[in-house]
Amino acid sequence: MVNWADFIAQCFNGLVLGALLALISSGLTIIYGTLGVLNLAHGAMFMLGGYAGWVAYAYSGSFILAVIAGSLFVMLVGVLMERLIIRYFYARPNEDQLLVTFGLGIVFVEAVRFFFGSLSKTVPPPIVGITSLGFTVYPTYRLALLGIVSAALLALYFVLYRTRIGMIVRAGIEDAVMVDSLGIDVYKIFMLVFGIGAMAAGFAGIVNAPVVSVSPDVGESILVQTFVVVVIGGVGSFPGAVLGGLLAGEIISITSMFNPGYAYVMLFVAMTLVLVIRPYGLLGTAGRE
Protein backbone atom coordinates (compact mmCIF):
# COMPACT_ATOMS: atom_id res chain seq x y z
CA MET A 1 0.00 0.00 0.00
CA VAL A 2 1.45 3.36 -1.06
CA ASN A 3 1.79 6.03 1.59
CA TRP A 4 1.01 9.18 -0.39
CA ALA A 5 2.93 11.47 1.96
CA ASP A 6 6.04 9.32 1.48
CA PHE A 7 5.42 9.15 -2.26
CA ILE A 8 5.25 12.93 -2.57
CA ALA A 9 8.35 13.28 -0.40
CA GLN A 10 10.14 10.89 -2.78
CA CYS A 11 8.98 13.00 -5.71
CA PHE A 12 10.58 16.01 -4.02
CA ASN A 13 13.75 13.97 -3.50
CA GLY A 14 13.69 13.11 -7.20
CA LEU A 15 13.22 16.77 -8.10
CA VAL A 16 16.23 17.80 -6.01
CA LEU A 17 18.39 14.97 -7.37
CA GLY A 18 17.20 15.69 -10.89
CA ALA A 19 18.06 19.38 -10.67
CA LEU A 20 21.52 18.47 -9.36
CA LEU A 21 22.07 15.96 -12.18
CA ALA A 22 20.84 18.56 -14.67
CA LEU A 23 23.45 21.05 -13.46
CA ILE A 24 26.31 18.54 -13.61
CA SER A 25 25.14 17.20 -16.97
CA SER A 26 24.84 20.67 -18.47
CA GLY A 27 28.55 21.17 -17.87
CA LEU A 28 29.40 17.81 -19.43
CA THR A 29 27.15 18.27 -22.45
CA ILE A 30 28.44 21.73 -23.39
CA ILE A 31 32.03 20.46 -23.09
CA TYR A 32 31.32 17.54 -25.39
CA GLY A 33 29.06 19.54 -27.68
CA THR A 34 31.63 22.31 -28.17
CA LEU A 35 34.98 20.56 -27.85
CA GLY A 36 34.01 17.03 -28.86
CA VAL A 37 35.77 15.74 -25.71
CA LEU A 38 34.02 13.14 -23.57
CA ASN A 39 35.34 14.16 -20.15
CA LEU A 40 35.56 11.08 -17.93
CA ALA A 41 37.10 13.25 -15.20
CA HIS A 42 33.82 15.14 -14.76
CA GLY A 43 32.77 13.04 -11.76
CA ALA A 44 36.15 13.70 -10.13
CA MET A 45 35.56 17.43 -10.61
CA PHE A 46 32.28 17.07 -8.75
CA MET A 47 34.25 15.45 -5.94
CA LEU A 48 36.97 18.15 -6.04
CA GLY A 49 34.32 20.84 -5.62
CA GLY A 50 33.09 19.14 -2.47
CA TYR A 51 36.57 18.85 -0.98
CA ALA A 52 37.64 22.38 -1.92
CA GLY A 53 34.45 23.70 -0.33
CA TRP A 54 35.01 21.57 2.76
CA VAL A 55 38.53 22.99 3.20
CA ALA A 56 37.24 26.54 2.75
CA TYR A 57 34.45 25.93 5.25
CA ALA A 58 36.90 24.44 7.77
CA TYR A 59 38.98 27.63 7.68
CA SER A 60 36.27 30.26 7.30
CA GLY A 61 33.13 28.75 8.81
CA SER A 62 31.16 30.37 5.98
CA PHE A 63 29.10 28.21 3.64
CA ILE A 64 28.91 31.00 1.07
CA LEU A 65 32.71 31.26 0.94
CA ALA A 66 32.87 27.48 0.70
CA VAL A 67 30.59 27.51 -2.36
CA ILE A 68 32.60 30.27 -4.02
CA ALA A 69 35.93 28.60 -3.24
CA GLY A 70 34.76 25.17 -4.41
CA SER A 71 33.38 26.53 -7.68
CA LEU A 72 36.36 28.74 -8.53
CA PHE A 73 38.90 26.07 -7.58
CA VAL A 74 37.36 23.50 -9.90
CA MET A 75 37.02 26.10 -12.66
CA LEU A 76 40.76 26.80 -12.30
CA VAL A 77 41.50 23.07 -12.40
CA GLY A 78 39.38 22.78 -15.55
CA VAL A 79 41.16 25.69 -17.26
CA LEU A 80 44.61 24.30 -16.40
CA MET A 81 43.54 20.83 -17.46
CA GLU A 82 42.40 22.15 -20.85
CA ARG A 83 45.45 24.39 -21.41
CA LEU A 84 48.09 21.89 -20.31
CA ILE A 85 46.65 18.59 -21.54
CA ILE A 86 43.27 18.45 -23.27
CA ARG A 87 44.06 20.91 -26.07
CA TYR A 88 46.68 18.50 -27.40
CA PHE A 89 44.02 15.81 -27.81
CA TYR A 90 41.43 17.65 -29.93
CA ALA A 91 42.77 16.12 -33.13
CA ARG A 92 43.54 12.75 -31.55
CA PRO A 93 41.23 9.71 -31.76
CA ASN A 94 38.31 9.54 -29.33
CA GLU A 95 39.94 6.61 -27.58
CA ASP A 96 42.91 8.80 -26.63
CA GLN A 97 40.58 11.46 -25.21
CA LEU A 98 38.74 8.86 -23.16
CA LEU A 99 41.97 7.41 -21.80
CA VAL A 100 43.54 10.75 -20.87
CA THR A 101 40.43 12.06 -19.09
CA PHE A 102 39.91 8.73 -17.37
CA GLY A 103 43.51 8.83 -16.20
CA LEU A 104 43.17 12.41 -14.97
CA GLY A 105 40.08 11.41 -13.01
CA ILE A 106 42.05 8.65 -11.28
CA VAL A 107 44.88 11.08 -10.51
CA PHE A 108 42.44 13.55 -8.92
CA VAL A 109 40.78 10.85 -6.82
CA GLU A 110 44.04 9.35 -5.59
CA ALA A 111 45.54 12.77 -4.86
CA VAL A 112 42.54 13.60 -2.67
CA ARG A 113 42.78 10.20 -0.99
CA PHE A 114 46.50 10.82 -0.30
CA PHE A 115 45.99 14.25 1.29
CA PHE A 116 42.64 13.76 3.03
CA GLY A 117 42.32 10.01 3.52
CA SER A 118 39.45 7.73 2.53
CA LEU A 119 37.05 8.72 5.32
CA SER A 120 34.15 10.93 4.26
CA LYS A 121 33.97 14.61 5.19
CA THR A 122 30.81 16.45 6.16
CA VAL A 123 29.78 20.04 5.63
CA PRO A 124 27.02 21.26 7.98
CA PRO A 125 23.97 22.63 6.16
CA PRO A 126 23.64 26.41 6.39
CA ILE A 127 19.92 25.96 7.07
CA VAL A 128 18.71 23.37 9.56
CA GLY A 129 15.30 22.03 10.51
CA ILE A 130 12.28 20.86 8.60
CA THR A 131 9.56 22.69 6.72
CA SER A 132 5.90 21.73 6.70
CA LEU A 133 4.46 21.50 3.20
CA GLY A 134 0.95 20.79 4.46
CA PHE A 135 0.82 17.20 3.24
CA THR A 136 4.26 16.29 4.59
CA VAL A 137 7.38 17.71 6.20
CA TYR A 138 10.65 18.08 4.34
CA PRO A 139 14.23 19.05 5.29
CA THR A 140 14.59 22.78 4.86
CA TYR A 141 18.03 22.65 3.27
CA ARG A 142 16.85 20.24 0.58
CA LEU A 143 14.19 22.76 -0.38
CA ALA A 144 16.83 25.49 -0.37
CA LEU A 145 19.10 23.26 -2.47
CA LEU A 146 16.40 23.00 -5.10
CA GLY A 147 16.26 26.79 -5.26
CA ILE A 148 20.07 27.13 -5.32
CA VAL A 149 20.51 24.65 -8.16
CA SER A 150 17.58 26.15 -10.10
CA ALA A 151 19.17 29.59 -9.81
CA ALA A 152 22.48 28.17 -11.03
CA LEU A 153 20.75 26.58 -14.03
CA LEU A 154 19.03 29.87 -14.85
CA ALA A 155 22.37 31.69 -14.62
CA LEU A 156 23.95 29.14 -16.97
CA TYR A 157 20.99 29.48 -19.34
CA PHE A 158 21.45 33.26 -19.34
CA VAL A 159 25.15 32.91 -20.16
CA LEU A 160 24.47 30.45 -22.99
CA TYR A 161 21.45 32.15 -24.55
CA ARG A 162 21.68 35.85 -23.66
CA THR A 163 25.37 36.74 -24.01
CA ARG A 164 27.81 36.99 -26.91
CA ILE A 165 30.02 34.31 -25.36
CA GLY A 166 27.03 32.00 -25.16
CA MET A 167 26.17 32.69 -28.80
CA ILE A 168 29.71 31.73 -29.81
CA VAL A 169 29.58 28.59 -27.68
CA ARG A 170 26.28 27.49 -29.21
CA ALA A 171 27.62 28.25 -32.68
CA GLY A 172 30.70 26.20 -31.86
CA ILE A 173 28.49 23.28 -30.88
CA GLU A 174 26.88 23.39 -34.32
CA ASP A 175 29.97 24.16 -36.43
CA ALA A 176 33.33 24.91 -34.79
CA VAL A 177 35.05 25.25 -38.20
CA MET A 178 32.69 28.03 -39.25
CA VAL A 179 33.27 29.89 -35.96
CA ASP A 180 37.02 29.64 -36.53
CA SER A 181 36.67 30.93 -40.10
CA LEU A 182 34.93 34.06 -38.77
CA GLY A 183 38.14 35.09 -37.02
CA ILE A 184 37.10 34.06 -33.51
CA ASP A 185 39.82 32.44 -31.40
CA VAL A 186 38.06 29.16 -30.81
CA TYR A 187 40.81 27.86 -28.54
CA LYS A 188 40.15 30.62 -26.01
CA ILE A 189 36.47 29.76 -26.25
CA PHE A 190 37.30 26.09 -25.73
CA MET A 191 39.27 26.99 -22.59
CA LEU A 192 36.35 29.05 -21.29
CA VAL A 193 33.81 26.33 -22.06
CA PHE A 194 35.89 23.70 -20.29
CA GLY A 195 36.25 25.99 -17.28
CA ILE A 196 32.50 26.71 -17.14
CA GLY A 197 31.65 23.02 -17.47
CA ALA A 198 34.08 22.13 -14.69
CA MET A 199 32.73 24.93 -12.49
CA ALA A 200 29.19 23.59 -12.85
CA ALA A 201 30.37 20.22 -11.53
CA GLY A 202 32.35 21.82 -8.69
CA PHE A 203 29.43 24.03 -7.66
CA ALA A 204 27.15 20.99 -7.57
CA GLY A 205 29.72 19.13 -5.49
CA ILE A 206 29.86 21.66 -2.67
CA VAL A 207 26.15 22.54 -2.50
CA ASN A 208 25.37 18.81 -2.32
CA ALA A 209 27.96 18.20 0.43
CA PRO A 210 25.53 18.90 3.32
CA VAL A 211 23.16 16.27 1.85
CA VAL A 212 25.66 13.54 0.96
CA SER A 213 29.04 13.54 2.72
CA VAL A 214 32.10 13.97 0.54
CA SER A 215 34.45 11.06 -0.11
CA PRO A 216 37.10 10.38 -2.78
CA ASP A 217 34.80 7.98 -4.64
CA VAL A 218 31.66 10.13 -4.54
CA GLY A 219 32.07 11.15 -8.17
CA GLU A 220 31.94 7.63 -9.63
CA SER A 221 28.20 7.04 -9.40
CA ILE A 222 27.50 10.66 -10.30
CA LEU A 223 29.55 10.27 -13.50
CA VAL A 224 27.52 7.24 -14.60
CA GLN A 225 24.22 9.01 -13.88
CA THR A 226 25.44 12.11 -15.70
CA PHE A 227 26.28 10.18 -18.86
CA VAL A 228 22.83 8.59 -18.80
CA VAL A 229 21.25 12.04 -18.44
CA VAL A 230 23.23 13.36 -21.43
CA VAL A 231 22.17 10.39 -23.55
CA ILE A 232 18.51 10.78 -22.58
CA GLY A 233 18.43 14.55 -23.07
CA GLY A 234 20.61 14.74 -26.16
CA VAL A 235 24.30 15.50 -26.57
CA GLY A 236 25.05 19.22 -26.79
CA SER A 237 21.56 20.26 -25.68
CA PHE A 238 21.31 22.36 -22.52
CA PRO A 239 17.50 22.00 -22.33
CA GLY A 240 18.01 18.29 -22.93
CA ALA A 241 20.37 18.08 -19.95
CA VAL A 242 17.75 19.74 -17.75
CA LEU A 243 14.93 17.50 -18.96
CA GLY A 244 17.09 14.37 -18.78
CA GLY A 245 18.27 15.25 -15.28
CA LEU A 246 14.73 15.74 -13.97
CA LEU A 247 13.54 12.48 -15.52
CA ALA A 248 16.53 10.56 -14.18
CA GLY A 249 16.08 11.99 -10.69
CA GLU A 250 12.43 10.98 -10.55
CA ILE A 251 13.13 7.49 -11.93
CA ILE A 252 15.84 6.82 -9.35
CA SER A 253 13.86 8.29 -6.44
CA ILE A 254 10.48 6.70 -7.13
CA THR A 255 11.96 3.29 -7.98
CA SER A 256 14.00 3.41 -4.76
CA MET A 257 10.76 3.75 -2.82
CA PHE A 258 9.59 0.33 -4.04
CA ASN A 259 12.90 -1.50 -4.50
CA PRO A 260 16.24 0.36 -4.23
CA GLY A 261 18.04 -2.48 -5.99
CA TYR A 262 16.21 -1.68 -9.23
CA ALA A 263 16.72 2.09 -9.21
CA TYR A 264 19.61 2.09 -11.66
CA VAL A 265 18.13 -0.80 -13.62
CA MET A 266 15.10 1.36 -14.41
CA LEU A 267 17.35 4.30 -15.26
CA PHE A 268 19.20 2.23 -17.85
CA VAL A 269 15.91 0.83 -19.14
CA ALA A 270 14.74 4.42 -19.72
CA MET A 271 18.00 5.23 -21.52
CA THR A 272 17.66 2.15 -23.71
CA LEU A 273 14.10 3.09 -24.68
CA VAL A 274 15.20 6.60 -25.63
CA LEU A 275 18.06 5.22 -27.75
CA VAL A 276 15.67 2.86 -29.55
CA ILE A 277 12.97 5.45 -30.19
CA ARG A 278 15.10 8.61 -30.61
CA PRO A 279 18.83 7.79 -30.92
CA TYR A 280 19.95 11.42 -30.62
CA GLY A 281 18.08 12.06 -27.35
CA LEU A 282 14.81 13.70 -26.43
CA LEU A 283 15.93 17.24 -27.28
CA GLY A 284 19.07 16.48 -29.25
CA THR A 285 19.45 16.95 -32.98
CA ALA A 286 20.36 14.34 -35.59
CA GLY A 287 24.08 14.23 -36.17
CA ARG A 288 25.00 15.14 -32.58
CA GLU A 289 24.35 11.74 -30.94
Side-chain angles (χ1 to χ4, degrees):
M1 192 69 180
V2 175
N3 184 319
W4 288 107
D6 291 342
F7 179 78
I8 295 174
Q10 281 296 97
C11 288
F12 267 92
N13 286 337
L15 192 60
V16 174
L17 175 60
L20 192 73
L21 289 175
L23 180 59
I24 305 169
S25 302
S26 63
L28 184 65
T29 198
I30 63 173
I31 287 174
Y32 182 74
T34 309
L35 284 65
V37 174
L38 199 58
N39 182 19
L40 293 183
H42 206 67
M45 291 178 169
F46 172 83
M47 176 271 299
L48 284 177
Y51 271 94
W54 174 78
V55 170
Y57 184 85
Y59 280 96
S60 69
S62 170
F63 186 76
I64 294 176
L65 288 179
V67 171
I68 295 172
S71 303
L72 293 181
F73 175 77
V74 179
M75 182 179 187
L76 177 61
V77 170
V79 168
L80 291 175
M81 181 176 162
E82 194 279 336
R83 285 291 86 184
L84 298 177
I85 300 174
I86 300 299
R87 70 189 182 107
Y88 297 107
F89 285 81
Y90 291 141
R92 299 276 288 272
N94 293 335
E95 295 84 357
D96 291 356
Q97 297 174 359
L98 291 173
L99 287 172
V100 73
T101 55
F102 180 72
L104 286 168
I106 293 176
V107 169
F108 293 150
V109 169
E110 295 308 317
V112 167
R113 200 188 307 277
F114 176 79
F115 286 106
F116 299 102
S118 297
L119 296 179
S120 60
K121 311 295 182 183
T122 57
V123 177
I127 305 172
V128 296
I130 58 175
T131 298
S132 175
L133 300 177
F135 45 83
T136 188
V137 293
Y138 201 73
T140 303
Y141 179 70
R142 282 181 178 261
L143 290 175
L145 179 61
L146 179 60
I148 292 169
V149 174
S150 298
L153 285 169
L154 287 174
L156 192 55
Y157 173 86
F158 180 83
V159 170
L160 288 175
Y161 290 89
R162 294 292 185 269
T163 65
R164 182 174 181 273
I165 292 296
M167 180 182 66
I168 295 172
V169 169
R170 287 184 289 116
I173 291 175
E174 296 300 324
D175 194 335
V177 176
M178 179 62 72
V179 172
D180 189 36
S181 67
L182 293 175
I184 297 171
D185 189 343
V186 291
Y187 289 105
K188 287 185 178 178
I189 298 301
F190 285 176
M191 178 185 69
L192 179 63
V193 167
F194 207 95
I196 291 174
M199 183 176 65
F203 178 86
I206 179 56
V207 297
N208 192 53
V211 177
V212 178
S213 57
V214 183
S215 68
D217 299 319
V218 72
E220 291 183 4
S221 61
I222 285 291
L223 180 64
V224 174
Q225 296 171 39
T226 300
F227 275 121
V228 173
V229 168
V230 171
V231 171
I232 291 175
V235 173
S237 171
F238 176 78
V242 176
L243 176 60
L246 294 176
L247 289 174
E250 292 296 347
I251 289 170
I252 293 172
S253 185
I254 293 175
T255 306
S256 296
M257 181 178 179
F258 297 98
N259 191 326
Y262 285 94
Y264 291 106
V265 173
M266 294 305 298
L267 182 61
F268 284 107
V269 167
M271 182 186 72
T272 303
L273 289 175
V274 170
L275 287 174
V276 170
I277 298 171
R278 192 176 171 86
Y280 40 88
L282 296 177
L283 298 181
T285 55
R288 297 300 305 178
E289 68 268 17

